[in-house]
């Protein structure tokens, strides 16, 4: 499966020399939110995510990053009013991923590292355990990829972890792509790749 041409994405790693320029792109509301984070890591994650999204949207809209009408409300997916575009932002450690499309889009970014064994029971329905065969003899890696697929869909739906991943049914074609079936009978396509120790996953409605 290849990504549709309608989807573009941008991967960004923290660089202290770029921070002043990234900060100059933020809206007043984003500056207030940034100042509200006490931890430096949380500030960097927020700044990286917004910088990645603004840079990507600027290319799509033909304008400078600071002029992009990105709305950042707490506990809501970012929006770009008046553009017809959807955006999703993910971050992990000091890396961010942004995805943009003219239809709903979800993005997730997960660092590949050991996870608690009980995470299986939270992410996968027992009927989905057979999917682990796509990942050979590395179940730890498998659960991270499956988590990333489902989290990307939940972010695209705008519900995040308010919905249990077990309520989504994952049907993989290969280890890197497939679809997720929702309880209402609709489905989302999912695609993922690995880079520098991270899984980056994207999701979009199958019948967009």
């Amino acid at each position: 499966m290849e990504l549709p041409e309608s989807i573009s994405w941008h991967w960004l790693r923290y660089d202290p020399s770029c921070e002043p320029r990234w900060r100059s792109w933020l809206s007043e509301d984003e500056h207030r939110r940034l100042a509200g984070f006490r931890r430096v890591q949380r500030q960097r994650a927020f700044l990286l995510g917004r910088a990645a999204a603004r840079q990507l949207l600027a290319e799509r809209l033909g304008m400078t990053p600071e002029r992009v009408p990105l709305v950042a409300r707490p506990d809501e997916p970012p929006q770009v009013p008046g553009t017809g575009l959807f955006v999703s932002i993910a971050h992990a450690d000091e890396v961010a991923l942004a995805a943009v499309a003219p239809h709903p889009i979800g993005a997730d970014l997960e660092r590949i590292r050991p996870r608690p064994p009980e995470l299986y029971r939270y992410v996968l329905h027992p009927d989905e355990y057979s999917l682990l065969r796509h990942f050979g003899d590395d179940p730890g890696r498998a659960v991270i990829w499956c988590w990333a697929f489902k989290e990307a869909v939940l972010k695209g739906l705008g519900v995040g972890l308010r919905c249990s991943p077990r309520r989504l049914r994952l049907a993989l074609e290969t280890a890197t792509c497939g679809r997720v079936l929702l309880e209402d009978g609709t489905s989302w396509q999912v695609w993922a790749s690995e880079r520098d120790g991270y899984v980056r996953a994207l999701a979009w409605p199958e019948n967009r």
Side-chain angles (χ1 to χ4, degrees), residues 31 61 99 101 103 115 124 137 139 142-143 145 162 174-175 182 203 207:
H31 275 293
L61 297 171
H103 49 74
R115 304 294 174 105
L124 298 176
D137 57 355
V143 75
W145 279 72
R162 295 191 297 273
T174 69
L182 307 184
N207 298 314

Side-chain angles (χ1 to χ4, degrees), residues 109-120 140 143-144 147:
L109 186 63
E110 301 290 339
R111 183 161 66 91
I112 298 175
R113 58 182 176 81
R115 304 294 174 105
E118 59 269 20
L119 189 60
Y120 283 102
V143 75
I144 294 172
W147 172 281

Side-chain angles (χ1 to χ4, degrees), residues 171-202:
L172 293 180
E173 297 173 9
T174 69
T176 62
C177 66
R179 56 183 39 82
V180 169
L181 309 178
L182 307 184
E183 291 179 316
D184 64 2
T186 60
S187 61
W188 284 55
Q189 290 188 290
V190 291
W191 171 95
S193 64
E194 185 177 326
R195 175 178 174 179
D196 299 339
Y198 293 87
V199 174
R200 48 193 179 184
L202 300 177

Side-chain angles (χ1 to χ4, degrees), residues 105-167:
I105 183 74
D108 190 43
L109 186 63
E110 301 290 339
R111 183 161 66 91
I112 298 175
R113 58 182 176 81
R115 304 294 174 105
E118 59 269 20
L119 189 60
Y120 283 102
R121 296 192 294 271
Y122 179 72
V123 176
L124 298 176
H125 186 277
D127 292 347
E128 296 174 309
Y129 291 169
S130 62
L131 297 176
L132 302 181
R133 70 181 187 279
H134 289 291
F135 302 90
D137 57 355
D138 192 345
R141 181 180 296 268
V143 75
I144 294 172
W145 279 72
C146 292
W147 172 281
F149 284 133
K150 291 192 175 187
E151 176 67 2
V153 174
L154 292 173
K155 291 182 67 175
L157 292 169
V159 299
L161 293 180
R162 295 191 297 273
C163 174
S164 169
R166 283 171 51 108
R167 296 174 62 181

